[in-house]
Amino acid sequence: SPLARVALLLALGLGQAAPLTATDPVVVGMTWTTGSLDPREGSTPWSLTTHGLAEKLFTVDKNGEIVGQVASSTTQVSDYVWDVTLKTDYKFSDGTVVTGQIVADCLNELNTENSAATSSLGTITATAPDATTVRITSTTGTHVMDAVLAEWVFTVYLADATAVGGFLFTGPYAVQSFAAGDISLVPNEHYWYVLRPF
Protein backbone atom coordinates (compact mmCIF):
# COMPACT_ATOMS: atom_id res chain seq x y z
CA SER A 1 0.00 0.00 0.00
CA PRO A 2 1.12 3.62 -0.43
CA LEU A 3 1.25 4.09 3.37
CA ALA A 4 3.47 1.05 3.80
CA ARG A 5 5.85 2.36 1.11
CA VAL A 6 6.05 5.78 2.81
CA ALA A 7 6.73 4.12 6.17
CA LEU A 8 9.47 1.97 4.59
CA LEU A 9 11.10 4.97 2.90
CA LEU A 10 11.03 6.94 6.15
CA ALA A 11 12.52 4.04 8.06
CA LEU A 12 15.30 3.62 5.50
CA GLY A 13 16.04 7.34 5.51
CA LEU A 14 16.12 7.53 9.28
CA GLY A 15 18.24 4.41 9.51
CA GLN A 16 21.01 6.02 7.46
CA ALA A 17 21.52 8.95 9.81
CA ALA A 18 24.61 8.78 12.00
CA PRO A 19 23.87 8.80 15.73
CA LEU A 20 24.43 12.06 17.58
CA THR A 21 27.42 12.39 19.86
CA ALA A 22 27.71 14.51 23.00
CA THR A 23 29.60 17.21 21.06
CA ASP A 24 27.23 17.49 18.09
CA PRO A 25 25.31 20.79 18.00
CA VAL A 26 21.55 20.54 18.16
CA VAL A 27 19.62 22.93 15.93
CA VAL A 28 16.12 23.75 17.13
CA GLY A 29 13.65 25.47 14.82
CA MET A 30 11.22 27.80 16.58
CA THR A 31 8.27 29.70 15.21
CA TRP A 32 9.74 32.83 16.81
CA THR A 33 12.72 33.98 18.83
CA THR A 34 12.98 36.86 21.23
CA GLY A 35 13.61 40.25 19.68
CA SER A 36 15.46 41.50 22.75
CA LEU A 37 17.58 40.28 25.65
CA ASP A 38 16.52 43.17 27.90
CA PRO A 39 14.31 41.73 30.68
CA ARG A 40 12.97 45.20 31.47
CA GLU A 41 11.12 45.41 28.14
CA GLY A 42 7.49 44.33 27.87
CA SER A 43 7.06 40.55 27.57
CA THR A 44 10.79 39.88 27.06
CA PRO A 45 11.11 38.24 30.52
CA TRP A 46 8.62 35.59 29.42
CA SER A 47 10.55 35.02 26.17
CA LEU A 48 13.86 34.70 28.01
CA THR A 49 12.37 32.05 30.29
CA THR A 50 10.86 30.04 27.41
CA HIS A 51 14.24 30.09 25.64
CA GLY A 52 15.94 28.53 28.69
CA LEU A 53 18.00 31.63 29.47
CA ALA A 54 16.31 33.21 32.47
CA GLU A 55 14.76 31.88 35.65
CA LYS A 56 12.58 33.41 38.33
CA LEU A 57 12.80 33.23 42.10
CA PHE A 58 9.96 30.68 42.01
CA THR A 59 8.19 28.71 39.28
CA VAL A 60 5.35 26.26 38.80
CA ASP A 61 6.33 22.60 38.44
CA LYS A 62 4.67 19.94 36.26
CA ASN A 63 2.22 19.16 39.09
CA GLY A 64 1.08 22.78 39.35
CA GLU A 65 2.97 23.39 42.61
CA ILE A 66 4.95 26.56 43.36
CA VAL A 67 8.59 25.56 43.82
CA GLY A 68 11.82 27.46 44.35
CA GLN A 69 14.02 28.19 41.38
CA VAL A 70 16.62 30.80 42.40
CA ALA A 71 15.02 31.19 45.84
CA SER A 72 14.25 28.50 48.40
CA SER A 73 11.54 30.05 50.60
CA THR A 74 9.57 33.12 51.67
CA THR A 75 8.75 34.34 55.18
CA GLN A 76 6.11 36.95 55.95
CA VAL A 77 7.49 39.65 58.25
CA SER A 78 4.35 41.84 58.34
CA ASP A 79 1.30 42.62 56.17
CA TYR A 80 3.39 44.26 53.44
CA VAL A 81 6.88 42.91 54.12
CA TRP A 82 8.35 39.55 53.11
CA ASP A 83 11.82 38.01 53.29
CA VAL A 84 12.90 35.82 50.39
CA THR A 85 15.71 33.36 51.07
CA LEU A 86 17.94 32.64 48.08
CA LYS A 87 19.56 29.31 47.30
CA THR A 88 23.23 29.40 48.24
CA ASP A 89 25.93 29.53 45.57
CA TYR A 90 23.42 29.93 42.73
CA LYS A 91 25.26 31.46 39.76
CA PHE A 92 24.84 33.49 36.62
CA SER A 93 26.22 32.10 33.37
CA ASP A 94 29.58 33.84 33.87
CA GLY A 95 30.04 32.30 37.34
CA THR A 96 28.97 35.36 39.35
CA VAL A 97 27.13 34.25 42.50
CA VAL A 98 23.53 35.47 42.81
CA THR A 99 23.34 37.68 45.90
CA GLY A 100 20.57 39.41 47.78
CA GLN A 101 21.77 42.79 46.56
CA ILE A 102 21.79 41.74 42.89
CA VAL A 103 18.25 40.36 43.17
CA ALA A 104 17.03 43.43 45.10
CA ASP A 105 18.46 45.71 42.39
CA CYS A 106 16.83 43.55 39.73
CA LEU A 107 13.38 43.65 41.41
CA ASN A 108 13.56 47.41 41.98
CA GLU A 109 14.51 48.00 38.36
CA LEU A 110 11.78 45.70 37.02
CA ASN A 111 9.19 47.42 39.23
CA THR A 112 10.27 50.80 37.90
CA GLU A 113 10.69 49.96 34.21
CA ASN A 114 8.26 47.12 33.39
CA SER A 115 4.65 47.93 34.24
CA ALA A 116 3.79 44.22 34.47
CA ALA A 117 5.94 44.02 37.63
CA THR A 118 3.47 46.25 39.49
CA SER A 119 0.38 44.17 38.71
CA SER A 120 0.19 42.07 41.90
CA LEU A 121 2.27 43.94 44.47
CA GLY A 122 1.87 47.56 43.47
CA THR A 123 5.05 49.53 44.09
CA ILE A 124 7.78 47.49 45.74
CA THR A 125 11.02 48.34 47.46
CA ALA A 126 13.54 45.52 47.66
CA THR A 127 16.56 45.56 49.95
CA ALA A 128 19.20 43.01 50.88
CA PRO A 129 19.62 42.47 54.63
CA ASP A 130 22.38 39.97 53.80
CA ALA A 131 23.87 38.01 50.90
CA THR A 132 21.13 35.37 50.81
CA THR A 133 18.07 37.42 51.77
CA VAL A 134 15.89 39.85 49.83
CA ARG A 135 13.35 41.90 51.78
CA ILE A 136 10.36 43.03 49.72
CA THR A 137 8.10 45.82 50.96
CA SER A 138 5.01 46.34 48.81
CA THR A 139 2.07 48.74 48.69
CA THR A 140 -0.34 45.86 48.06
CA GLY A 141 -0.49 42.91 50.43
CA THR A 142 -0.42 39.25 49.45
CA HIS A 143 -0.56 35.96 51.33
CA VAL A 144 1.22 34.06 48.54
CA MET A 145 4.50 35.87 47.85
CA ASP A 146 6.08 32.78 46.30
CA ALA A 147 3.23 32.58 43.77
CA VAL A 148 3.57 36.28 42.94
CA LEU A 149 7.33 35.91 42.38
CA ALA A 150 6.60 32.99 40.04
CA GLU A 151 4.87 35.40 37.64
CA TRP A 152 6.57 35.66 34.24
CA VAL A 153 7.87 39.20 34.72
CA PHE A 154 10.09 38.50 37.75
CA THR A 155 13.17 37.08 36.02
CA VAL A 156 16.51 37.26 37.78
CA TYR A 157 19.25 38.98 35.79
CA LEU A 158 22.50 40.87 36.08
CA ALA A 159 23.25 43.83 33.83
CA ASP A 160 26.72 43.36 32.34
CA ALA A 161 27.97 45.52 29.49
CA THR A 162 30.46 42.82 28.45
CA ALA A 163 27.78 40.11 28.03
CA VAL A 164 26.07 39.43 24.72
CA GLY A 165 22.97 41.65 24.80
CA GLY A 166 24.14 43.32 28.02
CA PHE A 167 22.60 40.86 30.51
CA LEU A 168 23.46 37.61 32.27
CA PHE A 169 20.93 35.02 33.44
CA THR A 170 20.82 31.83 35.52
CA GLY A 171 19.06 29.38 33.18
CA PRO A 172 20.44 26.19 31.64
CA TYR A 173 21.61 28.03 28.51
CA ALA A 174 23.73 31.11 27.87
CA VAL A 175 23.73 33.38 24.83
CA GLN A 176 26.62 32.84 22.42
CA SER A 177 25.40 35.29 19.78
CA PHE A 178 22.27 37.33 19.23
CA ALA A 179 20.59 39.29 16.48
CA ALA A 180 16.87 39.95 16.23
CA GLY A 181 15.33 36.69 15.02
CA ASP A 182 18.56 34.70 15.35
CA ILE A 183 19.92 33.48 18.66
CA SER A 184 22.67 30.96 19.32
CA LEU A 185 22.77 29.29 22.74
CA VAL A 186 25.39 27.24 24.55
CA PRO A 187 25.10 25.25 27.78
CA ASN A 188 25.49 27.33 30.93
CA GLU A 189 28.51 25.71 32.55
CA HIS A 190 27.56 27.27 35.89
CA TYR A 191 23.99 25.98 35.94
CA TRP A 192 23.07 24.30 39.23
CA TYR A 193 22.19 20.99 37.57
CA VAL A 194 25.61 20.75 35.95
CA LEU A 195 27.29 21.42 39.29
CA ARG A 196 24.94 19.40 41.52
CA PRO A 197 23.03 16.79 39.48
CA PHE A 198 20.29 14.71 41.10
Side-chain angles (χ1 to χ4, degrees), residues 152-170:
W152 61 268
V153 71
F154 292 112
T155 55
V156 175
Y157 62 87
L158 175 63
D160 182 340
T162 65
V164 176
F167 295 91
L168 296 168
F169 305 99
T170 61

Side-chain angles (χ1 to χ4, degrees), residues 91-173:
K91 296 179 180 178
F92 291 97
S93 60
D94 72 336
T96 300
V97 174
V98 177
T99 65
Q101 189 60 59
I102 291 171
V103 174
D105 291 344
C106 171
L107 292 174
N108 288 328
E109 192 169 55
L110 282 171
N111 192 248
T112 303
E113 298 192 26
N114 192 323
S115 61
T118 64
S119 60
S120 295
L121 294 175
T123 301
I124 66 170
T125 302
T127 58
D130 58 56
T132 59
T133 307
V134 178
R135 176 161 286 176
I136 298 173
T137 304
S138 63
T139 57
T140 303
T142 181
H143 64 285
V144 287
M145 182 58 81
D146 54 351
V148 171
L149 295 175
E151 292 176 7
W152 61 268
V153 71
F154 292 112
T155 55
V156 175
Y157 62 87
L158 175 63
D160 182 340
T162 65
V164 176
F167 295 91
L168 296 168
F169 305 99
T170 61
Y173 298 101

